[in-house]
Amino acid sequence: MKSQPSYRTQVVQDTIIIEFYEISKFLQDELGPELDRELGQPDLANCKHILVDCQHLKYANSLFLEILLNMAAQADQRQGRFALCCLSLFLSEVFEVTRLQGRWPTFDSREAALREIQAA
Amino acid sequence: MATLLVVDDSKIDLKRASLLLTKHIPEAEILCAAQGEEALELIELHAPDVVITDLQMPIMNGLELVERIRQKYPQIPVILMTAAGSEEIATAALKKGAACYVPKRELAVDLAPIVARLLGAARERIHHLRILNSISEVSFELQNDRELLVDFVYELREFLQHRGIFAEHDCFRVAMAIDEALANAYYHGNLEVSSKLREQDCFSFERLASQRREEQPYAHRKIFLKISLGEELTVTIRDQGPGFDLKMLPDPFDPGFVERPCGRGVVLMRSFMDSIVFNEFGNQVTMVKKINGTEIVSKP
């Protein structure tokens, strides 16, 4: 089963921005391995930081949280920072319930997140 | 009786479109507005079935009107009337959610059939919703197919939102609890793939799940789901796996829980539903959510 295209990556200086689309049907069982492979591609492998932009993400589930934990581990391995931006109210609640709130820095906008990450 | 709203700042074009609709759809009531704000007021008052609007208008153009209607009245389809040379902005309006556009030079031929088609679709949607709203108890026998399950959760969330028994935020919560329970039934129940594999790497888990989808006895197992809607929403999900020991569920208050790559599904289910009860084998879960603050009766 192939997951729907549900994200796009972009590089700004040494930060990989992963922007998830609206995923009302969160069919992302293969998304973890797919992202893992993509982050290892030559154009992304040398970036230190990872920023996940959730602006268009209304719904997610525990598999999505696992993906975030994997990506955060990747940022650690690169000695970089991992951050999130533009979380919806529902996603914030999911983080709170699973005690992941405060685990990573979160920002209201992508610009604010990039400023903070790249200043560090 | 169907209600149509025509919006155009040109009195001549407004009259022309209205007359065309009156002639071809005589059973419809036609409302007219000369600009966007007036159109929004009429929508609020009359809830028309279809809005037909000019694209280029002063103060609020058709593009902005489409956006405002999509935000507040997503069920009302909007047809754009476009003058020559405005195809680019019409494409932008389609992206914003307009149903379609009709060039003004083609109005006489195309407008009425398009409106009639949209009215037909709206009627079907209303009938469909009336049937869905009559459901008090329904059972499903689902193939162990992840795509089917994901589609099911999406449709169920839409149904709950249409039915209006929960606020939108609660529809998301209920959908997530069911999503997590179905994922458990699919992976851990029917395919018997352990979460421990996720702790090794993200590939091993999916690899084994993928392999077992083709193997017996896993391949033909099903998931049984029953929904009851009364004073509370009750969802029972049962898989055909051997079950699991409830004592093996991770403790969310364990200091190591936050760093674990898995084990959050049941925590989310417990948080977003008012009660969840597993059967003695661990292959069936019953989840209850109160509707409109009704008191919950504890179940064994």
Side-chain angles (χ1 to χ4, degrees), chain A residues 12-59:
Chain A
V12 176
Q13 293 178 18
D14 57 352
T15 303
I16 304 167
I17 301 169
I18 302 169
E19 181 183 13
F20 286 94
Y21 302 155
E22 203 289 310
I23 310 175
S24 48
K25 298 180 190 181
F26 212 89
L27 183 60
Q28 87 301 38
D29 298 27
E30 292 176 356
L31 188 56
E34 192 182 313
L35 263 169
D36 225 42
R37 280 190 288 269
E38 180 152 353
L39 293 178
Q41 294 295 310
D43 52 334
L44 303 183
N46 294 326
C47 294
K48 275 175 74 176
H49 314 297
I50 299 174
L51 170 64
V52 175
D53 185 339
C54 299
Q55 189 184 0
H56 302 294
L57 194 61
K58 285 186 355 192
Y59 178 76

Side-chain angles (χ1 to χ4, degrees), chain B residues 269-286:
Chain B
M269 287 156 62
R270 286 196 200 284
S271 302
F272 289 155
M273 300 299 275
D274 292 312
S275 123
I276 80 162
V277 179
F278 286 94
N279 70 355
E280 59 180 313
F281 309 109
N283 67 349
Q284 177 177 299
V285 63
T286 301

Side-chain angles (χ1 to χ4, degrees), chain B residues 2-3 41 82 105 119 158 181 183 232 242 249-250 272 295:
Chain B
T3 306
E41 283 169 23
T82 56
R105 61 176 184 279
L119 283 175
E158 292 276 298
E232 57 198 27
L249 283 175
F272 289 155
E295 283 303 311

Side-chain angles (χ1 to χ4, degrees), chain B residues 7-9 52-57 61-62 80-83 104:
Chain B
V7 191
D8 201 318
D9 62 312
I52 302 109
T53 179
D54 183 24
L55 192 55
Q56 285 159 328
M57 295 185 292
N61 66 24
L80 292 162
M81 298 183 288
T82 56
K104 282 194 169 178

